[in-house]
Amino acid sequence: GTNAECCAGEYKTQTSGACYAGMANAPSAAPSAVADIKYYPDYDTDYEDATCLPGKMNGRPSFDSMAECCIGAYPAQTSGACFAGMDSPPTVAPTTEADKKWFKDPESNDFTTGTCINDGPVPSGYVAYGTNAECCAGEYKTQTSGACYAGMANAPSAAPSAVADIKYYPD
Protein backbone atom coordinates (compact mmCIF):
# COMPACT_ATOMS: atom_id res chain seq x y z
CA GLY A 1 0.00 0.00 0.00
CA THR A 2 0.84 3.65 -0.04
CA ASN A 3 1.64 6.04 2.80
CA ALA A 4 -1.77 7.70 2.30
CA GLU A 5 -3.53 4.32 2.51
CA CYS A 6 -1.62 3.57 5.71
CA CYS A 7 -2.64 6.89 7.24
CA ALA A 8 -6.25 6.41 6.20
CA GLY A 9 -6.35 2.87 7.59
CA GLU A 10 -4.18 2.97 10.69
CA TYR A 11 -4.64 6.59 11.77
CA LYS A 12 -8.14 7.38 10.48
CA THR A 13 -9.19 8.91 13.82
CA GLN A 14 -6.01 10.97 14.21
CA THR A 15 -7.01 14.63 14.38
CA SER A 16 -3.51 16.14 14.44
CA GLY A 17 -2.79 15.20 10.83
CA ALA A 18 0.74 14.10 11.81
CA CYS A 19 0.65 10.96 9.66
CA TYR A 20 -0.42 12.84 6.51
CA ALA A 21 2.00 15.70 7.27
CA GLY A 22 4.90 13.23 7.16
CA MET A 23 4.18 12.29 3.53
CA ALA A 24 6.47 13.45 0.71
CA ASN A 25 3.46 14.88 -1.17
CA ALA A 26 1.32 15.65 1.86
CA PRO A 27 -2.35 16.42 1.28
CA SER A 28 -3.48 19.89 2.33
CA ALA A 29 -5.19 18.54 5.49
CA ALA A 30 -5.99 15.22 7.13
CA PRO A 31 -9.67 14.35 6.85
CA SER A 32 -11.57 15.03 10.07
CA ALA A 33 -14.26 12.37 9.68
CA VAL A 34 -14.99 9.41 7.42
CA ALA A 35 -17.59 11.52 5.57
CA ASP A 36 -14.88 14.15 4.99
CA ILE A 37 -12.48 11.73 3.31
CA LYS A 38 -11.87 12.71 -0.31
CA TYR A 39 -9.94 10.83 -2.95
CA TYR A 40 -7.52 12.08 -5.57
CA PRO A 41 -5.90 10.34 -8.57
CA ASP A 42 -2.37 9.00 -8.21
CA TYR A 43 -0.86 10.62 -11.29
CA ASP A 44 2.62 9.52 -10.17
CA THR A 45 1.80 5.90 -11.10
CA ASP A 46 1.41 4.48 -14.63
CA TYR A 47 -2.20 4.92 -15.86
CA GLU A 48 -2.97 1.18 -16.05
CA ASP A 49 -1.61 0.55 -12.53
CA ALA A 50 -2.89 3.72 -10.88
CA THR A 51 -5.48 3.97 -8.13
CA CYS A 52 -7.01 6.80 -6.16
CA LEU A 53 -5.60 7.85 -2.82
CA PRO A 54 -7.40 9.13 0.26
CA GLY A 55 -6.95 12.80 1.05
CA LYS A 56 -6.62 15.94 -1.02
CA MET A 57 -3.70 17.20 -3.05
CA ASN A 58 -3.37 20.69 -4.43
CA GLY A 59 -3.66 20.78 -8.20
CA ARG A 60 -5.49 17.47 -8.45
CA PRO A 61 -9.21 16.84 -8.70
CA SER A 62 -10.97 15.71 -5.52
CA PHE A 63 -13.74 13.11 -5.40
CA ASP A 64 -16.21 12.13 -2.66
CA SER A 65 -15.61 8.39 -3.06
CA MET A 66 -12.94 6.12 -4.46
CA ALA A 67 -15.42 4.77 -7.03
CA GLU A 68 -16.16 8.31 -8.28
CA CYS A 69 -12.43 8.97 -8.46
CA CYS A 70 -11.77 5.78 -10.47
CA ILE A 71 -14.56 6.62 -12.91
CA GLY A 72 -13.58 10.29 -13.21
CA ALA A 73 -9.80 9.96 -13.33
CA TYR A 74 -9.31 6.61 -15.09
CA PRO A 75 -12.29 6.14 -17.46
CA ALA A 76 -10.29 4.20 -20.06
CA GLN A 77 -8.29 2.04 -17.63
CA THR A 78 -8.58 -1.56 -18.87
CA SER A 79 -6.61 -3.26 -16.08
CA GLY A 80 -9.23 -2.52 -13.41
CA ALA A 81 -6.41 -1.62 -10.98
CA CYS A 82 -8.21 1.42 -9.58
CA PHE A 83 -11.40 -0.48 -8.70
CA ALA A 84 -9.34 -3.44 -7.43
CA GLY A 85 -7.75 -1.07 -4.90
CA MET A 86 -11.10 -0.42 -3.21
CA ASP A 87 -11.91 -1.94 0.20
CA SER A 88 -14.93 -3.68 -1.39
CA PRO A 89 -14.18 -3.74 -5.11
CA PRO A 90 -16.99 -4.50 -7.55
CA THR A 91 -16.83 -8.05 -8.91
CA VAL A 92 -17.60 -7.02 -12.49
CA ALA A 93 -18.24 -3.81 -14.35
CA PRO A 94 -21.84 -2.73 -13.98
CA THR A 95 -24.20 -3.65 -16.80
CA THR A 96 -27.30 -2.00 -18.12
CA GLU A 97 -30.59 -3.76 -18.80
CA ALA A 98 -29.77 -3.41 -22.51
CA ASP A 99 -26.63 -5.51 -22.00
CA LYS A 100 -28.55 -8.47 -20.56
CA LYS A 101 -29.25 -11.30 -22.98
CA TRP A 102 -32.37 -13.45 -23.01
CA PHE A 103 -32.18 -17.24 -23.19
CA LYS A 104 -34.34 -20.33 -22.70
CA ASP A 105 -34.87 -20.93 -18.98
CA PRO A 106 -32.76 -24.01 -18.11
CA GLU A 107 -35.40 -24.89 -15.46
CA SER A 108 -38.17 -24.99 -18.11
CA ASN A 109 -38.26 -28.70 -18.88
CA ASP A 110 -41.84 -28.73 -20.23
CA PHE A 111 -42.09 -27.13 -23.68
CA THR A 112 -45.74 -26.12 -23.18
CA THR A 113 -44.90 -24.00 -20.10
CA GLY A 114 -41.39 -22.92 -21.14
CA THR A 115 -40.22 -19.32 -20.80
CA CYS A 116 -37.15 -17.17 -21.39
CA ILE A 117 -35.07 -15.37 -18.75
CA ASN A 118 -32.25 -12.81 -18.58
CA ASP A 119 -31.15 -13.05 -14.95
CA GLY A 120 -27.63 -14.30 -15.39
CA PRO A 121 -24.95 -15.30 -17.86
CA VAL A 122 -26.11 -17.25 -20.90
CA PRO A 123 -25.29 -20.93 -20.23
CA SER A 124 -22.87 -22.67 -22.56
CA GLY A 125 -24.67 -24.09 -25.59
CA TYR A 126 -27.67 -21.75 -25.26
CA VAL A 127 -28.64 -19.15 -27.87
CA ALA A 128 -28.58 -15.52 -26.65
CA TYR A 129 -31.35 -13.16 -27.78
CA GLY A 130 -31.61 -9.37 -27.51
CA THR A 131 -35.22 -9.35 -26.31
CA ASN A 132 -37.66 -11.64 -24.55
CA ALA A 133 -39.90 -11.68 -27.64
CA GLU A 134 -36.98 -12.76 -29.87
CA CYS A 135 -36.20 -15.56 -27.42
CA CYS A 136 -39.82 -16.77 -27.37
CA ALA A 137 -39.96 -16.67 -31.17
CA GLY A 138 -36.68 -18.57 -31.47
CA GLU A 139 -37.08 -21.15 -28.70
CA TYR A 140 -40.86 -21.65 -28.56
CA LYS A 141 -41.98 -20.95 -32.13
CA THR A 142 -44.48 -23.85 -32.13
CA GLN A 143 -45.61 -23.45 -28.51
CA THR A 144 -49.43 -23.27 -28.67
CA SER A 145 -50.01 -22.46 -24.99
CA GLY A 146 -48.47 -18.98 -25.33
CA ALA A 147 -46.74 -19.44 -21.95
CA CYS A 148 -43.49 -17.87 -23.09
CA TYR A 149 -45.16 -14.70 -24.38
CA ALA A 150 -47.53 -14.59 -21.38
CA GLY A 151 -44.48 -14.42 -19.10
CA MET A 152 -43.30 -11.15 -20.67
CA ALA A 153 -43.51 -7.88 -18.71
CA ASN A 154 -45.61 -6.34 -21.51
CA ALA A 155 -47.14 -9.48 -22.94
CA PRO A 156 -48.84 -9.31 -26.35
CA SER A 157 -52.53 -10.24 -26.44
CA ALA A 158 -51.61 -13.22 -28.63
CA ALA A 159 -48.38 -14.78 -29.78
CA PRO A 160 -47.28 -12.90 -32.91
CA SER A 161 -47.25 -14.79 -36.16
CA ALA A 162 -44.68 -14.22 -38.83
CA VAL A 163 -45.81 -13.25 -42.33
CA ALA A 164 -43.95 -16.34 -43.55
CA ASP A 165 -46.25 -18.50 -41.37
CA ILE A 166 -49.48 -17.27 -42.98
CA LYS A 167 -51.06 -19.91 -45.20
CA TYR A 168 -53.66 -19.25 -47.90
CA TYR A 169 -56.33 -21.77 -48.90
CA PRO A 170 -58.76 -21.73 -51.82
CA ASP A 171 -62.47 -21.06 -51.06
Side-chain angles (χ1 to χ4, degrees):
T2 65
N3 194 350
E5 290 168 339
C6 177
C7 290
E10 297 298 320
Y11 300 98
K12 61 184 160 202
T13 59
Q14 183 184 62
T15 57
S16 69
C19 184
Y20 288 97
M23 294 172 51
N25 292 317
S28 55
S32 57
V34 174
D36 293 338
I37 294 177
K38 302 289 185 190
Y39 293 86
Y40 66 92
D42 179 8
Y43 293 147
D44 298 326
T45 302
D46 180 66
Y47 186 87
E48 284 299 318
D49 298 325
T51 62
C52 290
L53 304 173
K56 294 179 185 176
M57 181 173 280
N58 289 336
R60 296 194 187 179
S62 179
F63 298 90
D64 290 332
S65 72
M66 188 161 175
E68 288 176 13
C69 182
C70 290
I71 292 166
Y74 305 107
Q77 187 182 66
T78 57
S79 67
C82 190
F83 286 109
M86 295 172 62
D87 286 339
S88 297
T91 53
V92 295
T95 60
T96 64
E97 284 296 315
D99 292 335
K100 292 183 176 181
K101 297 299 179 195
W102 290 88
F103 54 94
K104 178 182 174 186
D105 184 352
E107 303 292 319
S108 294
N109 295 322
D110 182 1
F111 183 82
T112 60
T113 60
T115 59
C116 293
I117 60 173
N118 74 338
D119 64 354
V122 179
S124 178
Y126 281 65
V127 177
Y129 299 91
T131 67
N132 195 351
E134 289 171 354
C135 180
C136 289
E139 297 294 330
Y140 298 101
K141 184 176 183 174
T142 59
Q143 185 187 61
T144 56
S145 68
C148 188
Y149 289 102
M152 293 172 57
N154 295 311
S157 55
S161 54
V163 173
D165 293 339
I166 296 173
K167 305 287 188 242
Y168 294 92
Y169 300 96
D171 278 334

